[in-house]
Amino acid sequence: MTIDLRADPIVLTAALVDIPSVSKDEAAIVDTVTRALREQTTGFEVLRCGNSVLARTDRGRDSRVILAGHLDTVPIADNVPGRFETVDGQQTLYGCGSVDMKSGDAVFLHLAATVAEPVCDLTLIMYDCEEIAAEFNGLGRIERELPEWLDGDLAILGEPSGAWIEAGCQGTLRVRLTVRGTRAHTARAWMGDNAIHALGPILQRLREYRPREVDIDGCVYREGLSAVGIDGGVAGNVVPDEASVLVNFRFAPDRSLEQATEHVRQVFSGLDLDFERTDGSPGALPGLTAPAAKNLVEQVHSHGGGGIRAKYGWTDVSRFAARGIPAVNFGPGDPNLAHTVDEHVPTAQITTVADILRGYLTRA
Amino acid sequence: MTIDLRADPIVLTAALVDIPSVSKDEAAIVDTVTRALREQTTGFEVLRCGNSVLARTDRGRDSRVILAGHLDTVPIADNVPGRFETVDGQQTLYGCGSVDMKSGDAVFLHLAATVAEPVCDLTLIMYDCEEIAAEFNGLGRIERELPEWLDGDLAILGEPSGAWIEAGCQGTLRVRLTVRGTRAHTARAWMGDNAIHALGPILQRLREYRPREVDIDGCVYREGLSAVGIDGGVAGNVVPDEASVLVNFRFAPDRSLEQATEHVRQVFSGLDLDFERTDGSPGALPGLTAPAAKNLVEQVHSHGGGGIRAKYGWTDVSRFAARGIPAVNFGPGDPNLAHTVDEHVPTAQITTVADILRGYLTRA
């Protein structure tokens, strides 16, 4: 298979969609992309690493921008090869990966091949296994094995963001709140102490909780505290002696993971329960005041397309933020269509993202 | 194997304990009991029916008393054969079934063989598979196949009751209360409606509920409304759209099953939930004002041992109550020791039960 990196990124997106690349089955697309980078770009060192491919320039520029995207998709649902349709007068590309995230990949590959003299050095990272369990994530493997490839002044992830800059990301943590009681036969319920009944005040606190909204660098983050699981019960005739609620806190990046955990502990203070944090990942500050990021923001504003907003979900941008590198999501496509059978992208968004990034990489 | 029905019921209990009879493995004990009834009693028609044995007199008396007990036990836990020990100066028999309920069986079998001229006709029912799922219950099978054997004026079940008369039984029903919401990603929790949070008011009602106590025929019944299960959750990052609580109501026998169900519905009235009754069994009125029962009550009072109280749990007595026959539990042993490895009965209680019943069956 061959792809033409110099073709319109819309055409290149369609070509990438037509190469199936479900997580763990990505050899064909990585072979194709690696060969294209070697044959159709100049000034790049190209490194194949497992099912990821890395490429970077070393032009001695003052700053370095990382363009990163994953090449894998969720399982195909009778939506490969892709097809073009006109929807409400707009050219639209349907197909698995058209949104998440071969359109973003196509823009990055096209720019690597066509921007002859970028104002900064470039690092391109096309990685594998983003759509499955975190342990397989190719970017995580690169972070462990080739950390120097992640150095830079700004990281742009081409995840679908509707051609808006989505900056930073919220943190997430989960706690299990367990209450204990005394087991008894329900025929003599007064001899027991019902642990499920004792969950009432926990749920009451969750109902009363008013999540915070916070503005950081012009991005509004909106927190949320949600029960995501509840469990209790021994048998149909037993007063249960244990019950628990699993709670997920999504928090703005001005709180550290520890501060966020302490906040959740305070929400339930005074209740008799066991508090256990089961997992947690810090958020990422938008970092839009850093010079490399500020230039991108200006480019977006002067282009007139898209805009800038906070990212609510947790994404791979926080891997860069944890290294002190500002990172944003910026790619074509509506993230709500990712992973759907009906996945599709208005091709004008591919052009918008490509135009803004071309302007950013070639600005005076 | 041979047993001597004329021996002291304490000795007979020990002999029955030493014949293993775990549910569904009761052929040996039923063979032994059937042969003993045929060879050692007079005036009884004896009928083997599966692993149950039935025996009845037809002396033309004015009333008929049913003595019923199951011969099966829960699985043996290194506690067969039984052994006698002295505990706090009291002779005590240890062993699987010593409480539940071979001591009660032994008393019934002994009386059948030794009360030559009872004042009433007698029906003896020794049945199988009481300790496992209701569908296997031998008394249920007899009710379906030989219902005329369950006719009588009073049924005495020899279930352990500490040598007290435990009258009637409470009813039980379970309802599943399900609340619905709207699913969303927890990173955008405000787009959803959390079904687990909506369980809060249900648990609040359970916490505030004050169960009723009611006196019927001098027996105090004590109701109870208990959550016995709680369930909800889709994934660690999803606002769940459904959650449910399973609630068990134990109700006094002055409410019918339908009245009790309506009461529970009222407890949760005004809340937005689906209400589904998953199972239910009516209670049994104590019926102690019926003549045959009244005589037994008088016998207990004149003996001075034991006493009379309400039965809280659901037992096979309600099968008789449903047929309009007063029914009581009356047997040696602490019901809290049933099904324990440490199961044991003070032998004096065996004598007390035998003495009271002998007085009842031979009264002037």
Side-chain angles (χ1 to χ4, degrees):
Chain A
M1 270 169 296
T2 309
I3 50 173
D4 179 4
L5 303 187
R6 292 167 181 280
D8 187 296
I10 296 169
V11 174
L12 182 53
T13 301
L16 290 174
V17 167
D18 290 352
I19 306 174
S21 60
V22 177
S23 308
K24 295 202 164 181
D25 200 9
E26 300 136 284
I29 201 166
V30 184
D31 286 348
T32 302
V33 168
T34 304
R35 198 167 54 244
L37 282 169
R38 289 200 165 122
E39 294 173 357
Q40 301 174 38
T41 66
T42 52
F44 278 88
E45 170 195 1
V46 178
L47 177 68
R48 169 81 178 256
C49 164
N51 274 342
S52 294
V53 55
L54 309 163
R56 65 181 169 192
T57 60
D58 188 12
R59 293 187 170 97
R61 301 288 196 263
D62 290 340
S63 67
R64 173 175 295 279
V65 168
I66 301 165
L67 303 172
H70 62 86
L71 287 169
D72 63 318
T73 69
V74 295
I76 291 165
D78 203 20
N79 51 0
V80 167
R83 66 180 198 281
F84 286 99
E85 282 190 23
T86 302
V87 178
D88 295 335
Q90 290 198 309
Q91 188 192 44
T92 304
L93 173 61
Y94 282 77
C96 182
S98 58
V99 167
D100 189 11
M101 55 170 281
K102 291 179 173 179
S103 47
D105 294 332
V107 169
F108 292 168
L109 290 166
H110 177 75
L111 293 172
T114 59
V115 177
E117 287 290 331
V119 297
C120 50
D121 271 304
L122 287 180
T123 300
L124 197 68
I125 302 175
M126 303 271 112
Y127 62 101
D128 57 314
C129 291
E130 192 269 350
E131 296 291 7
I132 55 176
E135 62 184 302
F136 301 109
N137 187 300
L139 194 60
R141 193 180 64 246
I142 293 164
E143 193 177 13
R144 290 189 298 276
E145 297 176 7
L146 302 165
E148 71 282 4
W149 277 83
L150 302 190
D151 289 343
D153 299 284
L154 174 67
I156 301 173
L157 278 90
E159 290 279 359
S161 63
W164 282 57
I165 297 280
E166 290 190 334
C169 77
Q170 295 206 123
T172 177
L173 67 86
R174 270 173 277 268
V175 296
R176 182 170 296 283
L177 307 176
T178 304
V179 297
R180 308 200 188 271
T182 307
R183 204 179 279 206
H185 197 290
T186 52
R188 291 182 170 75
W190 61 91
M191 297 184 71
D193 176 17
N194 196 310
I196 292 177
H197 296 191
L199 293 178
I202 294 175
L203 300 184
Q204 188 62 23
R205 298 267 174 108
L206 284 167
R207 286 165 67 84
E208 288 167 357
Y209 184 79
R210 292 292 163 262
R212 193 175 61 124
E213 288 188 14
V214 54
D215 186 315
I216 306 171
D217 292 0
C219 297
V220 176
Y221 292 88
R222 195 166 169 182
E223 300 185 326
L225 188 66
S226 306
V228 292
I230 194 163
D231 188 50
V234 176
N237 58 358
V238 176
V239 172
D241 55 352
E242 187 174 314
S244 68
V245 188
L246 185 64
V247 174
N248 184 206
F249 184 41
R250 299 285 176 148
F251 55 95
D254 63 335
R255 300 191 203 261
S256 70
L257 181 55
E258 288 317 310
Q259 288 168 335
T261 305
E262 188 51 34
H263 174 71
V264 176
R265 197 189 298 274
Q266 285 305 316
V267 169
F268 299 105
S269 71
L271 300 181
D272 186 16
L273 49 78
D274 289 354
F275 181 100
E276 180 203 4
R277 192 176 79 201
T278 59
D279 67 316
S281 301
L285 285 165
L288 295 180
T289 53
K294 222 158 136 179
N295 288 331
L296 179 61
V297 169
E298 281 163 12
Q299 198 65 38
V300 169
H301 286 317
S302 69
H303 182 276
I308 295 171
R309 64 188 171 205
K311 178 71 180 170
Y312 291 131
W314 192 92
T315 78
D316 274 332
V317 300
S318 73
R319 294 183 193 274
F320 291 99
R323 305 174 66 82
I325 303 169
V328 299
N329 284 299
F330 183 45
D334 177 352
N336 293 320
L337 293 175
H339 304 191
T340 67
V341 175
D342 197 40
E343 188 174 346
H344 62 273
V345 60
T347 58
Q349 289 190 14
I350 300 176
T351 305
T352 297
V353 173
D355 287 350
I356 290 172
L357 287 181
R358 179 178 299 278
Y360 173 62
L361 297 178
T362 60
R363 69 190 180 276
Chain B
M1 269 167 297
T2 308
I3 51 173
D4 179 3
L5 304 187
R6 291 167 180 278
D8 188 297
I10 296 169
V11 174
L12 182 53
T13 301
L16 291 174
V17 167
D18 290 352
I19 306 174
S21 60
V22 176
S23 308
K24 294 201 166 181
D25 200 9
E26 301 137 282
I29 201 166
V30 184
D31 287 347
T32 302
V33 168
T34 304
R35 199 169 51 244
L37 282 170
R38 289 199 168 125
E39 293 174 358
Q40 301 175 37
T41 67
T42 53
F44 278 88
E45 170 194 2
V46 178
L47 178 68
R48 168 83 177 256
C49 165
N51 274 341
S52 294
V53 56
L54 309 164
R56 64 181 169 192
T57 60
D58 188 11
R59 293 187 171 96
R61 300 288 196 262
D62 290 341
S63 68
R64 174 175 295 279
V65 168
I66 301 165
L67 303 173
H70 62 86
L71 287 169
D72 63 318
T73 69
V74 295
I76 291 166
D78 204 20
N79 50 0
V80 166
R83 66 180 197 282
F84 287 98
E85 283 189 23
T86 302
V87 179
D88 295 335
Q90 289 198 307
Q91 188 191 44
T92 304
L93 174 60
Y94 283 77
C96 184
S98 59
V99 166
D100 189 10
M101 57 172 278
K102 290 179 174 179
S103 47
D105 294 332
V107 169
F108 293 167
L109 289 166
H110 177 74
L111 293 173
T114 58
V115 176
E117 288 289 330
V119 297
C120 51
D121 271 305
L122 287 181
T123 300
L124 196 69
I125 302 175
M126 303 272 111
Y127 61 102
D128 57 314
C129 290
E130 192 271 349
E131 296 291 5
I132 55 176
E135 62 184 302
F136 301 109
N137 187 299
L139 194 60
R141 194 180 65 246
I142 293 164
E143 192 177 13
R144 289 190 299 275
E145 296 176 8
L146 301 166
E148 71 282 5
W149 277 83
L150 302 190
D151 289 343
D153 299 284
L154 174 67
I156 302 173
L157 279 90
E159 291 277 0
S161 63
W164 282 56
I165 298 279
E166 290 190 333
C169 77
Q170 296 206 124
T172 177
L173 67 86
R174 271 173 276 268
V175 296
R176 183 170 295 283
L177 308 176
T178 304
V179 297
R180 308 200 188 270
T182 307
R183 205 179 279 206
H185 197 291
T186 51
R188 291 183 170 75
W190 62 90
M191 297 184 72
D193 176 17
N194 196 311
I196 292 176
H197 296 192
L199 292 179
I202 294 175
L203 300 184
Q204 188 62 22
R205 299 266 174 110
L206 284 167
R207 287 165 67 85
E208 288 167 357
Y209 184 78
R210 291 294 163 261
R212 194 175 60 125
E213 288 188 12
V214 55
D215 186 315
I216 306 171
D217 293 359
C219 297
V220 176
Y221 292 88
R222 195 165 170 183
E223 300 186 326
L225 189 66
S226 307
V228 292
I230 194 163
D231 188 50
V234 175
N237 58 358
V238 176
V239 172
D241 56 352
E242 187 175 313
S244 69
V245 188
L246 186 64
V247 174
N248 184 207
F249 184 40
R250 299 286 176 148
F251 55 96
D254 62 334
R255 300 191 203 259
S256 70
L257 180 56
E258 288 317 311
Q259 288 168 337
T261 306
E262 188 51 33
H263 174 71
V264 177
R265 197 189 298 274
Q266 286 304 316
V267 169
F268 299 104
S269 71
L271 301 181
D272 186 15
L273 49 79
D274 289 354
F275 181 100
E276 181 203 4
R277 192 178 79 201
T278 59
D279 68 317
S281 302
L285 285 165
L288 295 180
T289 53
K294 221 158 137 180
N295 288 331
L296 179 61
V297 169
E298 280 162 15
Q299 198 65 39
V300 169
H301 286 317
S302 68
H303 182 276
I308 295 172
R309 63 188 170 204
K311 178 72 181 171
Y312 292 130
W314 193 91
T315 78
D316 274 332
V317 301
S318 75
R319 293 183 194 273
F320 291 99
R323 304 173 66 83
I325 303 169
V328 299
N329 284 299
F330 183 45
D334 177 352
N336 293 322
L337 293 175
H339 305 191
T340 67
V341 176
D342 197 39
E343 188 173 346
H344 63 273
V345 60
T347 58
Q349 289 190 13
I350 301 176
T351 304
T352 297
V353 172
D355 287 351
I356 290 173
L357 286 181
R358 180 179 298 277
Y360 173 61
L361 296 178
T362 60
R363 69 192 181 274

